[in-house]
Amino acid sequence: EGLQHCTTNENLLIRAVKFYERMGDLDQARQLLSRLKYCSIDKSWKTMLEGALLEARAGRYTMAREVLKFLTHNVPWYGPLYLAHTKLERDYGLSPEAYSIVEKGLKELPRYGPLYFQAFRLLEKEDLSRKAFDLPRTMGMVSRADSISRELLWKVHLEAAQMQERAAVLAVEDNTKNLDLRTALKATRRSYAKAIMLCPPNLSWKIWLASGRTEVSCGNTNVARELFLRAYDSVSEKGRSTVLLECARLEEYCGDLALSRSILCKSRQQFGKSDWKVWLSSVNLECRCGLRERAIAFAQEALNIHRGTGRLWAALIQLRHDEGELYQMKVLKFALQAVPKSGEVWCEGARIYLNPFSPTFDLQAASRHL
């Protein structure tokens, strides 16, 4: 009704296009977009962008590409246009074209952060494909990113550290005789140090945590403990459970299950009512230790508090495997009543139906669940 009176209103058109796309009526959506034919670009570019994204999702790459080219040419000051165009080219496997769009965008908007991060991913893939494990082009782009705002600059160095870590792992795999992972991670540690110096104090725990994980990957467990302790000292109350879970994983990795369970126990006592992940970690730990009954007890206790968490229901369904598929179906029904929109739960239902040795075997039902 609104579009009858305001035929080219951008907000109404975008909502209507999205609605028809969800309903699967793409022809009607395109008919609405055809109203923009005689509108000026200033009043229609947002709706045209939504139309381009619709065509991309529908698999019409050529049409989407042409619209995005037109928009980036006529609306060069809007960063997300370059981002959308870059992602389109990247998803269709055209990395050189994607990078040329990034460069075009950075020429117009040299301080637009998301384009730099997109460039990092493209250049990292290119460097690794050439086995240039020192990432020359990628690190060149990292140096160029010094022009962005200080609020984002620490994220640039954090991203650089993670890229260098991935490259170091591949370099060691490529030359296991002459290269050690602890040595190969020197550049990664330097990037973490730069990130720490530029990071706001309230977010520094994220970098301590990431650097601790890196040290765990190369076997420096004592250094990792120190870094996790720094993360715990600097984290806010809201994120403390995340750090405790990482500490519990570290102790489990080191073989100290008693200490890992103690850390998880502390996490449940302090954050069990607000964070369901502490319960899921407890369930997973007991599963890995082969203590199925303890895992079931934790899952049931967790669901008494976090009844609307699909991951916990999915874990409980998996744990009931020994009781048989019919018992799992009963748990599945309870789960779907509690969390009817949980993808994890529906996938567990499909898994039950896909077992060819079960009386519940039904490919059509599995397809419906998926």
Side-chain angles (χ1 to χ4, degrees):
E1 186 178 349
L3 286 171
Q4 290 177 1
H5 300 284
C6 310
T7 55
T8 57
N9 180 278
E10 275 197 331
N11 291 329
L12 289 175
L13 272 173
I14 289 171
R15 286 171 180 260
V17 167
K18 287 181 176 178
F19 169 77
Y20 283 119
E21 184 184 8
R22 283 197 302 271
M23 299 299 292
D25 194 349
L26 297 184
D27 290 336
Q28 185 64 38
R30 292 183 181 114
Q31 189 175 342
L32 289 175
L33 290 167
S34 67
R35 299 182 183 188
L36 305 174
K37 187 174 181 179
Y38 301 106
C39 292
S40 68
I41 188 70
D42 295 335
K43 295 181 180 179
S44 61
W45 66 268
K46 289 182 181 178
T47 314
M48 292 177 70
L49 173 58
E50 187 59 41
L53 297 176
L54 177 147
E55 298 297 354
R57 289 189 290 268
R60 297 182 67 185
Y61 162 70
T62 305
M63 174 66 74
R65 188 186 195 192
E66 291 302 317
V67 174
L68 286 170
K69 276 185 179 179
F70 173 80
L71 289 174
T72 51
H73 178 73
N74 288 280
V75 193
W77 46 265
Y78 189 63
L81 279 175
Y82 297 102
L83 207 58
H85 197 177
T86 302
K87 289 179 179 177
L88 177 70
E89 301 290 357
R90 183 200 65 194
D91 292 345
Y92 276 84
L94 301 172
S95 296
E97 286 81 355
Y99 182 69
S100 68
I101 295 160
V102 168
E103 285 288 8
K104 181 181 176 183
L106 290 175
K107 187 176 179 181
E108 294 286 343
L109 305 162
R111 291 175 62 84
Y112 185 60
L115 276 178
Y116 283 103
F117 291 101
Q118 196 66 244
F120 296 158
R121 297 183 188 100
L122 293 168
L123 292 175
E124 180 192 8
K125 183 178 179 181
E126 182 184 331
D127 282 337
L128 293 179
S129 68
R130 295 187 290 109
K131 292 192 174 183
F133 297 118
D134 56 340
L135 304 178
R137 294 197 66 194
T138 309
M139 298 314 295
M141 182 60 72
V142 169
S143 300
R144 282 176 58 186
D146 286 341
S147 62
I148 69 174
S149 63
R150 186 178 174 83
E151 290 78 13
L152 281 176
L153 199 52
W154 69 273
K155 290 186 178 180
V156 169
H157 292 292
L158 178 60
E159 186 74 20
Q162 292 171 340
M163 290 187 293
Q164 287 168 323
E165 181 182 357
R166 290 191 288 268
V169 171
L170 292 174
V172 171
E173 289 177 357
D174 192 59
N175 188 11
T176 53
K177 292 182 179 179
N178 303 319
L179 195 58
D180 175 66
L181 185 57
R182 294 189 185 192
T183 307
L185 288 171
K186 284 182 179 179
T188 302
R189 296 185 182 101
R190 285 195 294 270
S191 293
Y192 277 132
K194 291 177 184 177
I196 279 289
M197 288 189 289
L198 294 167
C199 182
N202 63 314
L203 296 174
S204 63
W205 67 274
K206 294 186 176 183
I207 302 173
W208 295 124
L209 206 62
S211 56
R213 289 179 185 135
T214 299
E215 297 301 335
V216 172
S217 71
C218 65
N220 283 338
T221 54
N222 291 329
V223 176
R225 281 193 188 91
E226 293 178 12
L227 293 169
F228 288 160
L229 181 60
R230 292 191 182 190
Y232 186 82
D233 290 339
S234 59
V235 72
S236 65
E237 190 69 19
K238 185 178 179 182
R240 193 152 288 174
S241 61
T242 303
V243 180
L244 285 173
L245 292 181
E246 207 64 49
C247 293
R249 291 188 195 103
L250 172 61
E251 299 307 333
E252 183 188 359
Y253 173 77
C254 295
D256 194 342
L257 294 176
L259 182 53
S260 180
R261 285 193 176 101
S262 298
I263 295 171
L264 288 173
C265 181
K266 178 181 179 180
S267 303
R268 292 194 303 273
Q269 289 174 353
Q270 292 184 350
F271 309 105
K273 291 184 179 179
S274 59
D275 189 356
W276 57 268
K277 292 179 183 176
V278 299
W279 292 100
L280 185 63
S281 293
S282 299
V283 170
N284 290 338
L285 173 64
E286 302 304 336
C287 283
R288 288 191 290 269
C289 294
L291 300 175
R292 178 173 158 276
E293 294 301 325
R294 270 178 68 91
I296 290 173
F298 278 132
Q300 290 175 332
E301 189 176 351
L303 286 168
N304 290 334
I305 304 169
H306 303 283
R307 189 168 180 78
T309 304
R311 292 279 293 279
L312 291 171
W313 280 110
L316 183 60
I317 294 169
Q318 290 175 8
L319 288 166
R320 292 298 187 181
H321 177 73
D322 286 359
E323 278 89 346
E325 286 77 7
L326 295 177
Y327 194 93
Q328 283 184 300
M329 290 298 297
K330 291 180 182 179
V331 181
L332 177 65
K333 288 178 181 178
F334 285 117
L336 290 174
Q337 289 173 358
V339 281
K341 294 184 179 180
S342 170
E344 290 92 349
V345 172
W346 285 106
C347 284
E348 288 305 317
R351 197 195 306 271
I352 295 169
Y353 283 117
L354 283 171
N355 184 357
F357 301 103
S358 164
T360 59
F361 179 62
D362 188 338
L363 292 177
Q364 290 184 345
S367 178
R368 286 196 302 271
H369 277 61
L370 292 172

